[in-house]
Structure formats: C-alpha cells, structure tokens
Amino acid sequence: MLLHRCSFWVMTIFSTARATQVTFDANAANRWSLELSTSWDILGPFPIQAREQQFLSPSFPLNLSEPIDYHKTWPSSYADGGRVSWATTVVEENGTLQVSFPNIRWESLRATEGWAVLQHHAVLHTTLTVRPPKQVRSEPHLRVQLIQGSYFTILPTTEDANLFPRWYAGNIYAMERGLPRVVPFPSAPSKISPTTYDIFVSGDYEIRLFGDPHSQGRDIPVQSISLTFDIEDEEVLFAREPTQDVFCDFVDGFAFGDAIGVGMRSIAGSWAVTKVSSRSADIALELVQTTRIADGQTRIVPIRITQSRQFRHKSLVMILQLTSGSDSREVFVSLPVSHRDMWDKEVFSPILATYFFAKSMPTTFSAIPPELQSQDVPKPPILALHGAGVDIVDQTFWADSLPRSPHSWFVLPSGRTSWGLDWHGPSRRDAWSSVDALACILGHNSVFHPWKFPMNSPVILLGHSNGGQGAWHIASRYPQRVVAVVPASAYIKSQSYVPLTMSRSARFTDPILLSVLESSLTPDNNDLFMSNLVDTPILAIHGGDDENVPAWHSREAVSILETWNPVANVTLREDPGESHWYSTVFKNAQVISFLENAISAYPTRLTLAERFTLTVSIPAEVGSLHGWSIQALTIPGRLGRLSVQRSNGNDDRVRVKTSNVEGLSVDTNVFPISRLLIDDTPIHLNDDEDGIIYFEAVNRKVWKVVNQSKQNTIQASGRIQAVLSSNGPITLVIPDDNHTHEMNVALRIAHDLELYHRLDSEIIRSSEAFENDSLSQGNVVVIGNDASFSAQMKCVPQRPLDGPGIGLIFLHSHPSNSNGNMLMMQSTDSAGLERVARLFPIRTGIPVPDWLIVGPLADSRGTGGVLSAGVWGNDWSWNSEMSWIS
C-alpha cells in the first residue's frame, strides 16, 4: 500500500503574502500527487460556547454556497470596534505554526468574563491541488486527518449554489491511535490536468483542549491544528490496521482475558471476515461474529481466545478469511505477545487485560494485583478512573500514580478511549464491565483463584480530574454498589467548568426551548445528584493552586453534600500550593489510610441516615439507594426525587415522600419494612412479601403495590445520547437505492463512533433491516427518508416535514429489542440531513433531547434555529410539558 502525504501545522499571524504552492510528491509521473497552498486565509475570532459547533455552521459566519468576499468585515464582540476581517498567514513547507489573534485585547475581556471568553471560533481556508498521473487507472481515494480542529470540508472552486458542504468531524481531542478518514472528492479530479479544491476548517478554541494561556506563560489563547492528506494506492482491496488491534498480556503463560481484536479496513468494495484459524495447537480462536466491513470503513474483528495449556511463544499467529461476493482472500496476522511473570507481594506490574464490551467489542483495561491473596471475604476492588487524554494502553502514568493495595485489586478501565464520554454513557458502562471482566478472568482460571473476587462486586471509586468528575458521577448514580469515593481535582459539571455565558445561541433562543434542550444535560450535572451520597464515605482532594480545575469545585461539591446531610461522612483534603497534578495526589498517608479503612470495614454495613433522598433524572441511568429505586417519572425530562424517613423509636413506619415519581420499588432484603406510608397514604404489605416490591401511582400521590416487575421495561430515553448505550454493534441503516449521501453520513458516523468511543457499527441497507435478526442486538440509526420508511412502518407513523434545509432527528423504541432504542434521521433535502448529522452525539454536552427539528437559521443562530424539540413521555408517548413547538 502506497501513501503519499502532505501536511501542515497552522498559526494565524496577521500578514499579507503571495500565495505559493508546495509540492509534496515530486515524482508523480505514475501516481496522483497533491499540492497544498502555503497561504491560509483566517477569519475570526467569534464568541462561541463549547458545543455550539454542532448547531452553528462550521463555516459561520460564511455561507459557502455564495461567493466569498475576502475584503468584507464581520461583526464580533471580541474585537475593538466590533468588526473582524480576513487575515493571511504563510505556512512554510516544514513550518509548525499556530492559530491566534494577538490584536484582540484578551486580558480586558477575561477580566469580567473569565475562561468563558477564551472560547472562540475561526474559519480557516486554503486550497488543495490534485495532479493526475500520466496514465490514469482509477480515481484516487483521499484520506484526511484533522487533529484538534472541529470540522473540515472540501469543495470545488467553481461556484455552485446547489452544492451544500459535507462537514467531516476532526479528531479534536488528538485521540490516540486515530485513523485518517476516507473522504470522496466533491467532484472527480481531472484525468488530464490539475484540479484545485477549496479547503475550509472550523477552528474552535476550548479550554479543555488547549488550556489556560496563563498556565503556558502567555495572555493570548492559541490553537494548534494539524491537517494531513493521503492518496492511497487503489490496487489494494483491504488493509490491516495494526494500531487498532486489541490484545491482552499473558501472565504465567495464560491470556489475561478472552478477547482479541484485529483492525481491518476495506479499500475497494465491501468485505466480510467469515473465519479465523489459529496456527498454534495450544490456542483456539473463534470468530465472535461475521464482521462485514463497508467500502471505506474500518472495523475491529472480534475473536475469542481459549487455551488448553500455557503459551510461551513471542507471537500469536492466525489467518483471517475475507470474502466479497465470489472473491475469497486470506490475511496472515501475527500479534506480538507481552509475557509477564506471576505477581507476588514484592514483584508486580500493571497487567493489560481484555474482554468483550457489549458482547462483541474487544476492549482493554489495566489491572494492578493486590499484595496478598483473597481472604475468606474477598475485598472490593478499587475502580480508578483516569483523567482526560490519559491512555491506559500505551502509558503507565496512571498506574504508576496509584498506591498498591494489600487486599484489593486496582481496576483501570479505558473509558472506551482516553477522553471517552467523560465517564458517562458507554464510558460508565465500560468501567463497570471492566470490574466484572476481571472477576471473570480470575474466576475462570484456577491459577488466579487465590486472588479472585465475585461478579457484581461493590467497588471503591477513585479518579483524577475528568476521572474525579467521573467518580462523583458514577458514585452518585449507583450508590448501592459504591463502598467509598476518592475524587481528586474534579469539576462539578461542564457548565461550571467553562461557563456558557458567551453562547451565541442564547442570544436567539426562546428560554423555554433552551430549558427543554438543556434537560438533556441534566443527567450529567453531578451537583443535582449529591443527595444520593449522604451515607457514602468520601475523601475529596484538590490542589490549592490548581490551574486547570479551580479548587472551588471540590469545595462546592462538599458544601452541597453537607447541605443534604450536615453530618455526612465527607472530608476535603486541600493541598496548599499544589497544582492540578502532583505526585502525592494519591500516594500519601491520608489517602492510603482512607482506602484501607474502607476495605477493612467491608462488608459491614454503614449506619444509615435517618432521612435520605434518591434523585433521578433518567431512571434507566440511576441505580438504587439503600434498596430504593425510581422506576418511572410522572413527567420525563424533569428531576424525580424520593425521600425516605426511616422508622425510629416506637414508630415502626417508614415514610416516603415523592416528587415527579410514577413508579418506585424497594428491595426488602436491603431495606426491611413492616409498615409503609407513601405520600402520607398507608400501603398494605402482605406478610409473605419480600425481595423487591414495586409500587405504582394510580392517581397523583395515590399508590398501590403492583405484582409485575417493570425493571426490564424502564424506558431508556431522555436524550439522543442514549443511542450510544448499545448492547451490541450499532446498526446504521441506509436506503437501498440512491443512497450516496446517506452512505457518506453512515461512514462518517461509523468513523466517529470508532475514533471517539471504540464503538463498533455495521452498515446495512433498509431491505436487510428485518432479515436474519439484523437488528436484534444493538441500537439502530436509520439515515434518510427512504431508509426510514420501511423501518418506520414498524414503529411510528411518518410525519412530513415542510421547507428547505430542515432536518429531524428523534429517538424511539427498538423494533425488536425492548432494552434497545432506534435513532431516526430525516430531512427535506441534503442540507437538512447535514444539519442533523452534526447533531449525532459524539461528544458530551450536545443539548439534544429525545427529538428535535432544526432549520437553516441554525447556521447563524445555533439553537435559535431549532423549530421544535422535546422529551418523550412514558411508553414513548407525547409529553406536552417537555415539548416546545415554534
């Protein structure tokens, strides 16, 4: 496979220069070559909040269907005089430059608006010229890698009012092992002469990405953006992608996990991996499922490994069989094996383990063994959540930061990737699944039995920075399974980390609509769920001079918790003079003592507060508190609360007060009850009732016991982001015919799912959707009106859209899996489909509830261009209280 590469790093410096060309392939006689202009046009900065790129046009304030006037000025409240104009920067062939705006008085702006004012948007433009070879055999495949930029698009230089840009998301987090994406040319390059294309990039400064410039010794915020172009040899049908491989360590000759993943990418046509065979007699390999890879898609092939005896070889060799129609090929794969000795009290190292996330996605996590073997009562593991940008696969930093425990395993999940979903959604599920996977690994091999612990074990939660936020998040959503918490350098929620005060959308959006949209952020707001931790031992840690997450976040979290319970078991350790990270964050006597006290006390139950309150936003995303659970809300989209007052003295009645609750339950094995009042109504309980008892509100504040469990039918809705919490590969459904645009959107989503979350996806046609249980496992995304028709007939009636550039995105029940869901994307034209495609919830903080209709005004007004939005009611019904219609 031949790759011909051109790349640049950009810094905006205000200057004027003659445009030149740099040729990146000097010997292009027999192959396509690329030339990138060294002159870049820059427009900005414009105020923006962290997630407006999904609603605003990435080319804001430009309309790329119209001619661009490079002499025009544009309004921006950041600039003196309120106007900004185009500038030009020259990029040298080997230069490394950055995007900045030194003529903006940043210090004056941040004096009143703080970090929020540093968030800004800029439009970058240059040109790319493609030169054909002397003999053209096929059209080229273009692969593009954008690092720390939001979006890019490629357009022909000829004006076309009917052409709507296709925006491709960049690897904005500079995610590890990210692959370039395949991008079709908007029009085929000439086979006889050079063809020039316009390149536009959306550059967006975020504090979480680029940091506070003060901490870097400067006053001006600076973006660093990398863009790389490749042209690929089209004679290759498919390619191995070793950076995507998933493999575990071998301990004393045994695989520490049962999952292997092999990265494969299709280059020409659709290929299916149908068989795997091992070249070793000691190792058996089984293909978990046939893996179909669409043209231009990359997938990680899931393979299960089993052993009959110890394996000591330096590599594991296998053969994959791939088919495409009648064509069959074999791929030889050799995976290097990392061997580790059995650990003991003195000698150990972190172990890389694997398991199948959501049944079929090979996933890694790391584990640190305890010093001693398990006791009669195995001790709870310590679930350690890393910060943003920390890679547990290729970096030992996180493992090296933790104090080894005498009795408990440390489990270091990946969170899907180094950023993941901020330990929400699939990242949260990965954390819990990694704990259960380790229990399974230790239990299935007798060699590891002395160190085993049971499945579904309670944990001690620990995390730093984004992981500290994740520790607050997971502990407050699943308090019943958490023994103690150590959140360090944690922020409360994203809106408090970097306020949204400079939001452009807020200037144009009805406050009622804004409240409906922001209800999709409620499940992530840790401050609202602190009531769930009133009985949990907590040691919050923060550096007094933290330059990344200010120390007031931990102080405020503790204050909120003590408001719910003035005698809550919470301690704040603030280390004076320390910054965001320091080597003794966890390796100090107080933390070690706190952990060991929590471990040694287990499984003794802690004394319960006389009163406690369970807070829930989406019932499917919150567990129980002292045996009490909320099963359904009266008005989904609003908070629900359940307050319990324990029986005391001569009064043996348990009193429960509810707010916005329609269904609840209690596990009497955890919380014994003899007499019960719910909202002052006595509830008759039979003497033989034990275990989980379910209650339902038949009228407002009137309750009854129900016999049938609703546990398996808790509605997994509330926001579009729920589609990421899938029980298998996400199925992307496109129309049978005339599907070029829909296929392009599907490939973009598949790439982003893999890059940001290591979530697998399969692309199918709508006629295949109900054949051979194609939709039986994971969630479904249906793209386009024609694809929607056949699928929709089985779930909801169609509702026509009217007007150009309008898109509809909505969540609904899965057609065959009660534990899944389906996301529908429809539009009146290509422009509308592009708008809803950008709303697919790849990152946290995108305010899209269960359904939303967006129009052309969103390009310039953000959420001010939303036409309607809302949250479904129970059983996917209309919810008038949480719906907004223009």
Side-chain angles (χ1 to χ4, degrees), residues 25 76 140 194 291 345 431 520 531 561 744 806 812 815:
D25 189 352
S76 171
T291 303
K345 185 176 181 180
S520 62
S531 72
L561 190 55
N744 181 267
I806 295 175
H812 211 275

Side-chain angles (χ1 to χ4, degrees), residues 51 115 173 208 386-388 419-424 463-473 477 487-498 524-527 530 541-542 546 548-557 580 844-845:
R51 292 297 183 270
W115 277 358
Y173 294 141
R208 292 188 69 191
H386 63 74
W419 283 77
L421 205 67
D422 293 339
W423 298 107
H424 308 164
H464 176 262
S465 190
N466 196 35
Q469 175 276 145
W472 282 116
H473 176 84
R477 276 44 165 210
S489 306
Y491 61 92
I492 294 178
K493 58 183 178 183
S494 60
Q495 306 97 304
S496 295
Y497 190 10
V498 182
D524 301 331
N525 295 346
N526 291 334
D527 47 1
M530 288 295 179
I541 305 171
H542 223 113
D546 192 325
N548 190 310
V549 179
W552 74 262
H553 283 264
S554 289
R555 299 170 192 157
E556 184 69 7
H580 187 60
T844 54

Side-chain angles (χ1 to χ4, degrees), residues 258 260 276 286-290 302-304 356 359-361:
D258 65 345
I260 296 176
V276 62
E286 175 191 5
L287 194 66
V288 173
Q289 61 187 21
T290 297
I303 299 167
R304 180 170 282 106
F356 289 105
K359 302 177 183 177
S360 64
M361 303 180 202

Side-chain angles (χ1 to χ4, degrees), residues 154-166:
I154 303 175
L155 298 175
T157 54
T158 57
E159 296 178 9
D160 184 353
N162 297 319
L163 182 66
F164 196 84
R166 297 181 180 182

Side-chain angles (χ1 to χ4, degrees), residues 598-611:
I599 292 168
S600 61
Y602 181 82
T604 302
R605 292 186 62 187
L606 299 174
T607 302
L608 306 187
E610 289 189 5
R611 298 172 182 265

Side-chain angles (χ1 to χ4, degrees), residues 382 404-408 591-601:
I382 302 169
R404 191 183 184 193
S405 171
H407 302 290
S408 290
V591 171
I592 294 171
S593 175
F594 179 85
L595 294 175
E596 289 309 307
N597 287 340
I599 292 168
S600 61

